Amino acid sequence: MTAGPAEPARTAEPGRRPTVTSRVLGILGAFTPERPALTITQIARRAGLPLSTAHRLTGELACWGALERDADGLYRIGLRLWEVGALARGPALREAAMPFLEDLYEATHENVHLAVLDGLDVVYIERISARDAVHVFSRVGGRWPAHATGVGLAMLAHAGRDVQERAIAGPLRRFTPQTIATGAELRRVLAEVRRTGAAISDGQVETFALSVGAPVFGPDDTVVAAVAVVVPASGWEARSLVPVVRAGARGISRALGAPRAVRPPESAMREV
C-alpha cells in the first residue's frame, strides 16, 4: 500500500488574493515523496509564487526549522515539522499501540500497519516491517484510499453513516481487478467487516499482497484507528490471521480505555 500519487501544491482560488498562510502552505505542499528536495526556483514554480516571495517565505520557514537547506542549496522539510506532526491525533495512540504492533510483527515477520482515517483516505502513522517482508509502498505519513486497504475498510465499517455513504457514493478508484469498484460491493463488504470484526483486502492494491485489518476504538467507543498485517497473498490464509489481528486491535482499544474492549461483542468473537 502506498502514499498514492502526489498532489500538486494548492494555490488560492481564482479571483482571490492569496493570503500569507496560503502561500506558506503552498511552499510546504510543493514537497512530495517523489520530490523531497527542491531548489528555490522549483519551490516558486510548484507553489505558484513569484521568486522573490518564495525566497522570502522560504527563508523564514528555514529560520523556524520548517525547512532545511543543504550544502547544495536544496531545501527539504525540516525536523521542526516532524516534531509538530508527531502530535497529530495524540502521541498516546502510538504509545499505546506499539507493544501490540510488535506482537503482531513477531507473529508474522511481515508488515504491520497502524493508520487513522482522514476523510476517505487512510494515513499511516506507524509501520514495522522485516527486510524480506512482502513489498509494499506504505510509509509513515503516507496515505491511500480507504476502500482498497485492510485498515481503511476496518475504519470505514465503523465510521459515521455520513462518512460511509460518501465512500459508497464514490468514485472508487480501481488499482487491480480485485479492487472494490462499486458502491454496492463496498456496502456489502463493510457489513461483513462489522459482522466479523475484521477486514480482508486481498490483492486490492497489489495482487501479490494480502492485508487483514481490525478497528481500534477510543474511550468513547468510536473508531480512532486500525491495525493490519500485510503478507504475501500466496502462502498465507486470511482466516488464520484474523484472530491475532483482532486481538491486537482489541488490546490497543483496551489500553485507550474503550469500554467495548473490556468484553468484545459476541459477533467479534466468532471465528470466520
Side-chain angles (χ1 to χ4, degrees):
M1 287 171 282
T2 122
E7 295 183 358
R10 296 177 181 174
T11 58
E13 296 177 11
R16 292 188 59 185
R17 185 175 180 178
T19 64
V20 173
T21 301
S22 68
R23 290 169 176 171
V24 169
L25 293 176
I27 289 174
L28 297 177
F31 295 87
T32 67
E34 294 75 24
R35 293 180 177 269
L38 299 170
T39 66
I40 188 65
T41 301
Q42 290 170 328
I43 292 173
R45 184 174 65 251
R46 291 173 65 82
L49 296 173
L51 185 58
S52 59
T53 302
H55 191 277
R56 174 174 58 83
L57 294 178
T58 297
E60 293 179 9
L61 288 168
C63 286
W64 186 76
L67 296 178
E68 297 175 352
R69 188 170 184 263
D70 64 23
D72 296 323
L74 297 176
Y75 288 89
R76 300 175 184 272
I77 295 296
L79 287 177
R80 187 72 180 273
L81 279 188
W82 178 266
E83 295 175 24
V84 174
L87 301 176
R89 301 289 174 99
L93 175 57
R94 291 178 67 250
E95 292 174 5
M98 279 308 297
F100 301 97
L101 300 182
E102 291 168 352
D103 287 345
L104 286 172
Y105 172 75
E106 290 300 326
T108 61
H109 288 281
E110 286 287 344
N111 301 282
V112 179
H113 292 147
L114 176 68
V116 296
L117 195 64
D118 183 26
L120 299 182
D121 291 342
V122 300
V123 177
Y124 298 95
I125 63 173
E126 190 57 80
R127 172 188 168 187
I128 305 177
S129 182
R131 180 178 301 176
D132 57 350
V134 65
H135 177 263
V136 294
F137 294 106
S138 59
R139 60 178 180 85
V140 173
R143 63 173 60 225
W144 196 263
H147 73 277
T149 68
V151 285
L153 291 171
M155 289 185 282
L156 280 179
H158 297 276
R161 180 57 58 88
D162 59 328
V163 175
Q164 292 183 32
E165 292 302 323
R166 280 198 293 124
I168 290 168
L172 300 173
R173 183 176 173 186
R174 170 166 278 177
F175 302 98
T176 74
Q178 285 76 40
T179 307
I180 296 172
T182 68
E185 183 182 8
L186 180 57
R187 191 184 298 277
R188 178 188 61 77
V189 169
L190 296 182
E192 182 69 6
V193 173
R194 287 189 292 272
R195 185 185 73 81
T196 64
I200 297 173
S201 175
D202 190 354
Q204 288 208 75
V205 174
E206 296 172 297
T207 56
F208 51 79
L210 165 68
S211 175
V212 177
V216 173
F217 298 92
D220 59 355
D221 261 351
T222 61
V223 65
V224 296
V227 296
V229 294
V230 184
V231 301
S234 61
W236 286 86
E237 172 59 51
R239 295 167 64 93
S240 68
L241 293 169
V242 166
V244 67
V245 175
R246 282 196 318 215
R250 190 162 59 246
I252 301 170
S253 301
R254 186 181 300 114
L256 292 174
R260 72 166 62 202
V262 176
R263 185 174 186 276
E266 182 181 350
S267 61
M269 295 291 290
R270 291 198 294 265
E271 295 296 331
V272 296

